Amino acid sequence: MDWLTTVDHKKIGILYLIAGFLFFIIGGLEALVIRYQLMVPMNDVVSGQLFNELITMHGTTMIFLAAMPMLFALMNAVIPLQIGARDVAFPFLNSLGFWTFFFGGVLLNLSWFANAVPDAGWTSYVPLASTTYSDGHGVDYYVIGLQIAGIGTLLGGINFMATIINMRAPGLTFMRLPMFTWTIFITSVLIVFAFPVLTVGLVALMFDRLFHANFFESANGGNTVLWEHIFWVFGHPEVYILILPAFGIISEVVSTFSRKRLFGYSSMVFATMLIAFLGFMVWAHHMFTTGLGPVANGLFSIATMLIAVPTGVKIFNWLFTLWGGSIKFNTSSMFAIGFVPTFVMGGVTGVMLASAPADYQYHDTYFVVAHFHYVIVGGLIFGIFSGLHYWWPKMFGRKLNEVLGQITFWTFFIGFHMTFLIQHFLGLLGMPRRVVSYLPGQGFDNMNLISTIGAFLMGIGTIAFIINVFVTWSKPRNAEADAWGDGRSLEWTIPSPPPEYNFKQLPLVRSYDAWWKEKMDGNKAMTPAEPVGPIHMPSPSILPFIMSVGLFIAGFGFMYNKLIVAGAGLLITFACMAIRSLFDDHGFHIEPEDQEKEVHV
Ligand code: HEM
Ligand SMILES: [Cu+2]
């Protein structure tokens, strides 16, 4: 019950982690079935229809329900601590964001039980996704599930933007922010600009499907290319929403474990901004083959290639940070170091794809599949694993087991390259993407087999991680505040796990790498910026949970055209909103004498 009503960012972070990881496993199992089907030519484990459902659900689940929530887990767990705050700016909204994401994801996945699974690909291109070609309820689940989950993401973006602007500890100016906080700040800005675009597209598609509107139906004068524009104006920045936080994690981990200040801090900040900005300018590189014409293709080609410049700045800064550092190797730092060359390879194939004429050859082949998995798995998932091992002691008070961690790293790392490196060559040989099977003797057979073996190796790595979590669970909570001994930012100045209110006294920040600076000056603790006093806390609330259930019910109502159900669901949500607005809740205080008592979570 505690967990249903919590508004504490640390607990919400854990909720995101559990839910995101569950969806990661579901998406992973879907991937393994896909790979199992493609292991040998002319395989028939799954039907063509089921295969389409699997790739659609795999892509959608991994991006929206696994990768983003796991990032939200880390940002919830870490950002308030890194900026010396007691919580996020809007704790109630934070909880609402989690629950809408969760119920949106559940709704999407209930499609498996309703026997109507989305099958138009995770990009849901029309006319394939229109009622003409997908007339069951499958795509409705996609549209409405993502709609509800998207509310959660948007709330999170707004919340973290406000938090980082407003809640920084005294002295923590923008150019002293830890790099992870910087990337989350810019990611939040991207979310705030990109997600409404997706929402608009989904609303339009929903109107097309449910009420026979005519945005995308070309037979009636609608425009299918419009969907592609809307989708990718959201979709390309989305890639940066995913990868920038990973950049932030890598920056923290690399600097901590090489015991050096991050090389080129300010260039890192501006590179991040530049990448975010350019990320919005390049969406049409997904549409070179749509027939936009040479001028558009040329401009979008060049704009895309430009992104390699700030990205290169970042890569070199990480290398220079490692250069000459006294590097400590452990699971976290190895995922971070493994990230660098892997991500570079994803970037190189990105530049190849950005060349419009070459893309005519690569488009819709396995080359693309290889490319985006190098970026998303080799970038983001490596980053998440690195960050989880790094901040686990802060979140749970226990360090993950190193031996199991090494097993996770090596199986996952080798499995990853086995799975996806070879797909580049499959693509160059012409194996098309999104096909359920292939004929023998085209030179695809062995490579597909290797790819599938690699995928199962990644599965083993994931299992090792799960075992690690449970093994660690049974250990005593003995992690120190500065768990790695080399912490640099504020989260390492408070106990692991932190008390409910994080900082008993807000710290005074005197430089970049605030905690490192104090340690170098021989101080044992941060200088407090305020006297000890009662701490104001927000009250827990069940309303976010109920509001999300309301939306969930309304979603079903709309989908199956039961407007009464839809109305009832919306009524629940609006009633909760009214309650929230009409009844003042001033929260409570933790008095100084109670502050000693206990470490929570
Ligand atoms: C065990 C790891 C994984 C394996 C073996 C795997 C495998 C695959 C396969 C075989 C496809 C179908 C390609 C096609 O024919 O279009 C695919 C598509 C995709 N995957 Fe993964 N994947 C894995 C992890 C991930 C992760 C972690 C993400 C995102 C965070 C992701 C995102 C996607 C996306 C966006 C698509 C495109 C789906 C589409 O175009 O319809 N994958 N993956
Ligand atoms: Cu793109």
Side-chain angles (χ1 to χ4, degrees), residues 232 235-240 279 282-286 304 307 371:
W232 288 114
H236 193 79
E238 166 69 13
V239 180
Y240 293 92
V282 300
W283 76 92
H285 63 209
H286 296 272
T304 305
I307 299 189
H371 156 70

Coordinates of all heavy atoms in Angstrom, one line a residue, residues 232 235-240 279 282-286 304 307 371, ligand 2:
W232 N 8.3 10.8 -37.2 CA 9.7 11.0 -37.1 C 10.1 12.3 -36.5 O 11.2 12.4 -35.9 CB 10.4 10.7 -38.4 CG 10.4 9.3 -38.8 CD1 9.7 8.7 -39.8 CD2 11.0 8.2 -38.0 NE1 9.9 7.3 -39.7 CE2 10.7 7.0 -38.7 CE3 11.8 8.2 -36.8 CZ2 11.1 5.8 -38.2 CZ3 12.2 6.9 -36.4 CH2 11.8 5.7 -37.1
G235 N 10.0 10.9 -33.5 CA 10.8 9.6 -33.4 C 12.3 9.9 -33.4 O 13.0 9.2 -32.6
H236 N 12.8 10.8 -34.2 CA 14.2 11.0 -34.1 C 14.7 11.7 -32.8 O 15.6 11.2 -32.2 CB 14.8 11.7 -35.4 CG 16.3 11.6 -35.3 ND1 16.9 10.4 -35.7 CD2 17.2 12.4 -34.8 CE1 18.2 10.5 -35.5 NE2 18.4 11.7 -34.9
P237 N 14.1 12.8 -32.4 CA 14.4 13.3 -31.1 C 14.3 12.2 -30.0 O 15.1 12.2 -29.0 CB 13.5 14.4 -30.8 CG 13.1 14.9 -32.2 CD 13.1 13.6 -33.0
E238 N 13.4 11.3 -30.1 CA 13.2 10.2 -29.2 C 14.5 9.4 -29.0 O 14.9 9.0 -27.9 CB 12.1 9.3 -29.6 CG 12.0 7.9 -28.9 CD 11.6 8.0 -27.4 OE1 11.2 9.1 -27.0 OE2 11.8 7.0 -26.7
V239 N 15.2 9.2 -30.1 CA 16.5 8.5 -30.0 C 17.5 9.3 -29.1 O 18.2 8.6 -28.3 CB 17.1 8.4 -31.4 CG1 18.5 7.6 -31.4 CG2 16.2 7.7 -32.4
Y240 N 17.4 10.6 -29.2 CA 18.3 11.4 -28.3 C 17.8 11.4 -26.9 O 18.6 11.5 -26.0 CB 18.5 12.8 -28.9 CG 19.3 12.6 -30.2 CD1 18.7 12.4 -31.4 CD2 20.7 12.4 -30.2 CE1 19.4 12.2 -32.6 CE2 21.4 12.2 -31.3 CZ 20.8 12.1 -32.5 OH 21.5 11.8 -33.6
G279 N 19.2 17.2 -33.3 CA 18.3 16.0 -33.3 C 16.9 16.3 -33.8 O 16.2 15.5 -34.3
V282 N 16.6 16.7 -38.2 CA 17.0 15.6 -39.1 C 16.0 14.5 -39.3 O 16.4 13.5 -39.9 CB 18.4 15.0 -38.6 CG1 19.4 16.1 -38.5 CG2 18.2 14.3 -37.2
W283 N 14.8 14.8 -38.9 CA 13.8 13.6 -38.9 C 13.7 13.0 -40.3 O 13.5 11.8 -40.4 CB 12.5 14.1 -38.4 CG 11.7 14.9 -39.4 CD1 10.8 14.4 -40.2 CD2 11.7 16.3 -39.6 NE1 10.2 15.4 -41.0 CE2 10.8 16.6 -40.6 CE3 12.4 17.3 -39.0 CZ2 10.6 17.9 -41.1 CZ3 12.2 18.6 -39.4 CH2 11.3 18.9 -40.5
A284 N 13.8 13.8 -41.4 CA 13.5 13.2 -42.7 C 14.6 12.2 -43.2 O 14.4 11.6 -44.2 CB 13.3 14.3 -43.7
H285 N 15.7 12.0 -42.4 CA 16.6 11.0 -42.8 C 16.0 9.6 -42.7 O 16.5 8.6 -43.2 CB 18.0 11.1 -42.1 CG 17.9 10.8 -40.7 ND1 18.8 11.4 -39.8 CD2 17.1 10.1 -39.9 CE1 18.5 11.0 -38.6 NE2 17.5 10.2 -38.6
H286 N 14.8 9.5 -42.1 CA 14.1 8.2 -42.1 C 13.2 8.1 -43.3 O 12.6 7.1 -43.5 CB 13.2 8.1 -40.8 CG 14.0 8.1 -39.6 ND1 14.5 6.9 -39.0 CD2 14.5 9.1 -38.8 CE1 15.2 7.2 -37.9 NE2 15.2 8.5 -37.8
T304 N 22.2 15.6 -40.8 CA 22.4 14.4 -40.0 C 23.9 14.2 -39.8 O 24.3 13.9 -38.7 CB 21.8 13.2 -40.8 OG1 20.4 13.5 -41.0 CG2 21.9 12.0 -39.9
I307 N 25.7 15.9 -36.9 CA 25.6 15.5 -35.5 C 26.9 14.7 -35.1 O 27.2 14.6 -34.0 CB 24.3 14.6 -35.4 CG1 23.1 15.4 -35.7 CG2 24.2 14.1 -33.9 CD1 21.8 14.8 -35.3
H371 N 22.3 -1.3 -37.2 CA 22.6 0.1 -36.8 C 21.9 0.5 -35.5 O 22.5 0.9 -34.6 CB 22.3 1.1 -37.9 CG 22.1 2.5 -37.4 ND1 23.1 3.3 -36.9 CD2 21.0 3.2 -37.3 CE1 22.6 4.4 -36.5 NE2 21.3 4.4 -36.7
Ligands
CU2 CU 16.7 9.4 -37.0

